[in-house]
Amino acid sequence: MADRILIVDFGSQVTQLIARRVREAGVYCEIHPFQKVDAADLKAFGPKGIILSGGPASVVEGEAPSAHPAIFTARVPVLGICYGEQTMAAQLGGTVEAGHHREFGRAEIEIRRDNPLFAGVWSQGDRKPVWMSHGDRVTKLPPGFEVIATSENAPFAGVADEARGFYGVQFHPEVMHTPDGAKLLRNFARGICGADGDWTMGAFKQRAIEQVRAQVGTGKVICGLSGGVDSSVVAVLLHEAIGEQLQCVFVDHGLLRMGEADQVVVLFRDHYTLPLVHRDASDLFIGALAGVTDPETKRKTIGKLFIDVFEEEARKIGGAGFLAQGTLYPDVIESVSFTGGPSVTIKSHHNVGGLPARMNMKLVEPLRELFKDEVRVLGRELGLPADMVGRHPFPGPGLAIRIPGDITREKLDLLRKVDAVYLDEIRKSGLYDEIWQAFAVLLPVRTVGVMGDGRTYDQACALRAVTSTDGMTADYYPFPHEFLGRVATRIINEVRGVNRVTYDITSKPPGTIEWE
Ligand code: XMP
């Protein structure tokens, strides 16, 4: 088993970034909620080192969450970040006080002592930018600790007990605004903890293949293929692991973008020679959606039909004991909740609507340990084409939630054409990979225009493009005006039926990425 680091989560918004940085250093790690980490958990996990995350709580208020004492007697290095530093200091005999000078955002620290955490990155006397976000601060160090960095408002911005391998930083090394932060986390994982940096995607792939083989034996696995990155990677990985024991089902709901359904079939059936059932159920879906205008009713209608059709196809195949799903790590991380116990957040759309239980199937989830960008790396490792692996996310209900109001085939065709022109221009401009998601929305609005000598009275559309790291928050993409002008001209010239183009500049929050 690869060396691993345990991240104890105290509920910081950026805990996942710690995990990302550690994995980028080639070390496998997992995030466990602080309530779950005890001596037994530590023994079972066997970490080479432990990182205590930040969190919203205050050590100086009653009932503050604390790190299990076994963490400090496990004889492995510990790094406390922000709240993690404070609770470590308080638990080991230091003092933490409510800060009268809060520090939020950019701050400068001064390096006071050379030490293994800063090795090769920062030296004594350097002044370096970091990102802070704290109200409380450590005011007295526990026995054995020394100051390694200070800031104007945090005399203990960095502390260390090198003999025990305990380190604390008040700033957040995991965020981009601490430019050298990733190197510090690497120093901790690789240098201080001595973890091997052998957690590569190639190694992961081999291990995942072996695990799938061990789990499935000679059984048959059904895999829903949508053409998205996650399901594509799952399908190709499973095919490599178990060959013809895999059967893929592509339920085509007729709500995909231009040419997409054909691409799925050509790529997977013809190129990868995966056993693939392509069920064209577009009449069924578009029929069921007739007259449906409420966004949630659209989602439910599509979700329910999807399960019905998928189940029908699965039954036809028969005899499959396993269902494969593209569940990712962010879907299974137990989130820290201070009101109740830890709660598991699983996005409902990742779970094929209770189907496994209904059909008495066991789940195969080979991507459960991966972040989205790691799935892309795995996809490349498996030889999937770059444009497939780098695809923007696409919602399960497809174009149905990009047509406010009721859905018709005509509207779907119109939207597909607009969307295709828009994406073509984005690709040609080399902007595709800078954008999290870009798409067109067909508005239920007709506007007057003039083309040539004639008056038009056609539909308006909106274009949307956002940047994001996880889809939870997003900013609109600041296209150059000249780009927007070019796209608008092309759409109106090439797509008969659309005579006005708008650009959506709403961020999330308060907007959402999709319009419905
Ligand atoms: P919103 O619109 O909530 O979208 O800001 C966040 C991300 O989720 C996608 N999305 C969906 N994906 N089923 C899905 O599979 C859905 O019903 C759904 N609604 C939104 C959206 O495209 C974006 O990536």
Side-chain angles (χ1 to χ4, degrees), residues 114-294:
D114 290 333
N115 67 87
L117 189 63
F118 300 164
V121 188
W122 295 340
S123 309
Q124 188 173 338
D126 284 354
R127 298 180 73 85
K128 294 290 176 181
V130 296
W131 194 72
M132 295 270 198
S133 173
H134 67 108
D136 301 347
R137 63 182 186 184
V138 178
T139 51
K140 182 175 144 270
L141 286 180
F145 276 81
E146 284 182 299
V147 175
I148 54 173
T150 55
S151 75
E152 195 181 337
N153 290 317
F156 301 111
V159 301
D161 175 345
E162 286 181 34
R164 285 191 284 178
F166 290 172
Y167 293 80
V169 288
Q170 185 57 71
F171 58 89
H172 287 269
E174 68 275 30
V175 304
M176 270 185 351
H177 310 292
T178 300
D180 294 324
K183 293 182 195 148
L184 304 190
L185 288 166
R186 182 188 176 89
N187 272 351
F188 179 72
R190 303 277 297 272
I192 296 168
C193 302
D196 283 336
D198 58 0
W199 196 74
T200 61
M201 234 0 116
F204 175 87
K205 183 184 113 179
Q206 276 319 320
R207 194 164 57 95
I209 286 175
E210 282 155 28
Q211 280 173 349
V212 168
R213 285 184 185 146
Q215 184 191 0
V216 169
T218 55
K220 204 193 265 187
V221 182
I222 293 193
C223 175
L225 195 55
S226 68
V229 181
D230 305 343
S231 68
S232 302
V233 171
V234 169
V236 176
L237 180 78
L238 289 183
H239 194 233
E240 213 169 304
I242 57 168
E244 302 294 300
Q245 286 164 254
L246 174 72
Q247 177 69 59
C248 294
V249 175
F250 169 37
V251 175
D252 179 0
H253 54 23
L255 306 167
L256 293 174
R257 287 166 291 194
M258 193 175 279
E260 232 168 7
D262 291 341
Q263 281 165 17
V264 170
V265 175
V266 168
L267 181 66
F268 292 101
R269 190 190 278 162
D270 302 347
H271 178 72
Y272 277 99
T273 60
L274 290 184
L276 174 69
V277 174
H278 173 206
R279 168 79 183 266
D280 180 355
S282 52
D283 285 342
L284 209 59
F285 279 84
I286 293 166
L289 286 168
V292 177
T293 57
D294 175 65

Side-chain angles (χ1 to χ4, degrees), residues 402-403 411-419 440-442:
R402 294 176 178 174
I403 301 176
K411 288 183 187 175
L412 284 165
D413 287 341
L414 208 55
L415 178 57
R416 269 193 269 266
K417 288 181 191 154
V418 174
D419 197 69
V441 179
L442 190 69

